[in-house]
Amino acid sequence: MHMTHDAAAPAAETIDFGQFLAVDIRVGTILEALPFPEARKPAYKLLIDFGPAIGKKRSSAQITEHYTLEELPGTQVAAVVNFPPRQIGKMMSEVLTLGFPDAEGKVVLFRPTVTVPDGGRLF
């Protein structure tokens, strides 16, 4: 499946509501942000708390352009929590942290504007 991040790209093919529900997107709070020098593209290692049902999960995120390691702890983010883990360099990334491209294609985090309970599911 090829995904494009181009704002001018047409909408993806039509899916049904069941397919949407199959993608489990939850909110979590970043506990820890660490450098990830081994990553092919500039990235950080994140430890995110998704609350009692999902727990703490690791993610690699290419968010180095807009965010510093120091500002990320305490920030809430959205992530897909039901993809299989992916090996990225020496790290196992357990969730896909979500973002949108800015005008230059750099990642801007997708996050709530008001603090919400960790583990809440996107609907």
Side-chain angles (χ1 to χ4, degrees), residues 98-115:
L98 300 175
F100 292 105
D102 69 8
E104 284 81 47
K106 310 299 186 205
V107 179
V108 176
L109 288 168
F110 178 47
R111 56 190 190 186
T113 56
V114 174
T115 301

Side-chain angles (χ1 to χ4, degrees), residues 88-105:
I88 301 176
K90 295 176 183 166
M91 175 193 175
M92 190 61 78
S93 186
E94 300 171 292
V95 300
L96 175 66
T97 303
L98 300 175
F100 292 105
D102 69 8
E104 284 81 47

Side-chain angles (χ1 to χ4, degrees), residues 55-109:
K56 298 177 177 98
K57 301 288 181 185
R58 298 204 171 275
S59 183
S60 167
Q62 295 172 13
I63 56 173
T64 58
E65 296 284 337
H66 287 293
Y67 307 96
T68 64
L69 291 170
E70 296 75 27
E71 74 183 292
L72 287 167
T75 299
Q76 286 195 304
V77 294
V80 177
V81 299
N82 66 331
F83 282 147
R86 283 184 59 209
Q87 187 77 39
I88 301 176
K90 295 176 183 166
M91 175 193 175
M92 190 61 78
S93 186
E94 300 171 292
V95 300
L96 175 66
T97 303
L98 300 175
F100 292 105
D102 69 8
E104 284 81 47
K106 310 299 186 205
V107 179
V108 176
L109 288 168

Side-chain angles (χ1 to χ4, degrees), residues 5-54:
H5 304 298
D6 182 356
E13 64 187 67
T14 301
I15 62 171
D16 65 36
F17 195 62
Q19 288 170 292
F20 168 70
L21 290 177
V23 181
D24 193 352
I25 299 172
R26 305 280 182 125
V27 65
T29 298
I30 297 173
L31 299 177
E32 182 179 80
L34 299 170
F36 193 6
E38 317 89 77
R40 272 201 322 269
K41 296 181 181 173
Y44 295 146
K45 294 180 191 177
L46 304 178
L47 179 63
I48 307 167
D49 185 358
F50 292 97
I54 306 289

